[in-house]
Amino acid sequence: MSDASLAAPPVKASPFHDLEVLWVRHWNDQLFSFGVKRPEDFRFRSGEFVMIGLPGEDGGKPILRAYSIASPFWAEELEFFSIKVEDGPLTSRLQKIQPGDSVLMGKKPTGTLVLDALTGGERLWLIGTGTGLAPWLSVARDPETYSRFKQVIVCHTVRNVADLAYRDFFTHGIHNDPLIGDEAKAQLTYYPTVTRERFETPGRITDRIKSGDVFADLQLPIGFSPNSDRVMLCGSMAMIKETGELLESYGLKEGSNAEPGDYVLERAFVG
């Protein structure tokens, strides 16, 4: 028998990166963020998502979920923003990670919440609910965003004021970003709304669009214009569906990577 016939079969490459957790921040008992070491060969477009997970317990299959990358394409680490679900197959365990632990990440980022899927315009609306804010943390730190659009509006709707994670970042911190800080200070507007507590801009973003309040608050013409407005949507299925219908009623057309349009949503999260 030859040595070749005794050789072990080649090891199949893993479809996942095994990444070290660098930091964890718990915003409240419902939300947390974490950062992981970025693989040297990992490339993505701002706004894309990737599969994140943990090995299965007792040798079972890994448990994975789609997570938007909250870092811009140029960042040296990868950031993620997650809810906590007490009995969730993944987040019940993921919320307990500590620096030094490992998480699994897929090797193929994808998604439609990218600038490539939009045609040119003057104003970019980034509308999200809950952890649907995550891709906007990426897009809002991409220099191309500010070269393509004169105004960028980040709309974030949550239930309680304490759920406004990254509020300080969008009102102050982003202005100190070494790459896009000056542009963000001049061109970015942060517009949070809260549905279950008293707040200066109360209610769902969809209701404030219908009433015209969001446009009045921002001193903009009422409604969306196909000539000037471009929109990205991420968050609850109800918000995405309702806002998509509102945009269509104003004449905006949905876009994709294959055929750029006036607005985009992430169908991987819609179902």
Side-chain angles (χ1 to χ4, degrees):
M1 188 176 290
S2 68
D3 290 342
S5 64
L6 294 173
V11 177
K12 186 177 181 180
S14 170
F16 310 111
H17 290 290
D18 194 327
L19 303 179
E20 178 188 355
V21 176
L22 302 176
W23 56 268
V24 182
R25 176 172 181 176
H26 294 273
W27 300 95
N28 54 31
D29 60 359
Q30 300 290 324
L31 301 166
F32 71 106
S33 297
F34 61 96
V36 298
K37 187 174 181 179
R38 177 176 181 166
E40 291 185 5
D41 61 349
F42 185 75
R43 300 289 182 270
F44 69 99
R45 297 177 297 172
S46 298
E48 288 189 313
F49 71 89
V50 71
M51 302 305 291
I52 289 288
L54 293 169
E57 296 181 294
D58 300 322
K61 291 184 178 180
I63 301 172
L64 301 158
R65 297 289 184 271
Y67 274 77
S68 291
I69 303 170
S71 310
F73 75 93
W74 50 263
E76 295 182 358
E77 67 179 41
L78 302 176
E79 182 174 350
F80 299 94
F81 182 31
S82 178
I83 58 171
K84 303 176 185 181
V85 181
E86 186 175 345
D87 57 352
L90 177 60
T91 59
S92 61
R93 296 171 55 203
L94 192 64
Q95 64 182 286
K96 298 175 183 177
I97 58 174
Q98 301 288 332
D101 290 345
S102 296
V103 298
L104 300 176
M105 185 184 78
K107 295 182 177 180
K108 295 182 179 180
T110 188
T112 54
L113 299 178
V114 293
L115 295 174
D116 291 343
L118 292 175
T119 55
E122 296 181 7
R123 188 178 301 111
L124 176 63
W125 296 79
L126 303 174
I127 301 177
T129 57
T131 54
L133 179 74
W136 312 156
L137 288 158
S138 179
V139 175
R141 286 184 278 180
D142 191 323
E144 186 183 352
T145 300
Y146 300 96
S147 63
R148 285 191 56 183
F149 298 95
K150 295 179 181 179
Q151 185 177 16
V152 179
I153 303 170
V154 175
C155 300
H156 189 204
T157 295
V158 297
R159 294 176 178 177
N160 301 299
V161 176
D163 298 329
L164 288 173
Y166 296 97
R167 184 182 185 184
D168 288 343
F169 173 75
F170 276 116
T171 53
H172 304 292
I174 195 170
H175 299 159
N176 299 317
D177 187 289
L179 195 60
I180 52 84
D182 291 341
E183 289 82 357
K185 193 170 186 178
Q187 297 169 243
L188 184 140
T189 300
Y190 174 63
Y191 189 84
T193 79
V194 176
T195 63
R196 296 189 178 179
E197 289 185 302
R198 292 178 62 87
F199 196 66
E200 55 262 33
T201 45
R204 300 183 304 160
I205 186 62
T206 48
D207 290 339
R208 297 190 72 81
I209 291 172
K210 290 177 181 177
S211 67
D213 288 342
V214 63
F215 305 105
D217 291 341
L218 299 175
Q219 298 182 327
L220 295 172
I222 300 295
F224 296 100
S225 168
N227 296 323
S228 57
D229 292 297
R230 298 295 176 263
V231 187
M232 292 183 172
L233 305 174
C234 189
S236 73
M237 289 185 287
M239 182 279 288
I240 290 175
K241 183 177 184 297
E242 189 173 0
T243 308
E245 291 172 352
L246 286 169
L247 295 174
E248 292 278 348
S249 73
Y250 281 109
L252 277 70
K253 302 301 181 184
E254 184 179 353
S256 66
N257 281 295
E259 188 174 349
D262 306 321
Y263 76 95
V264 289
L265 52 90
E266 189 49 78
R267 293 197 176 277
F269 301 137
V270 175

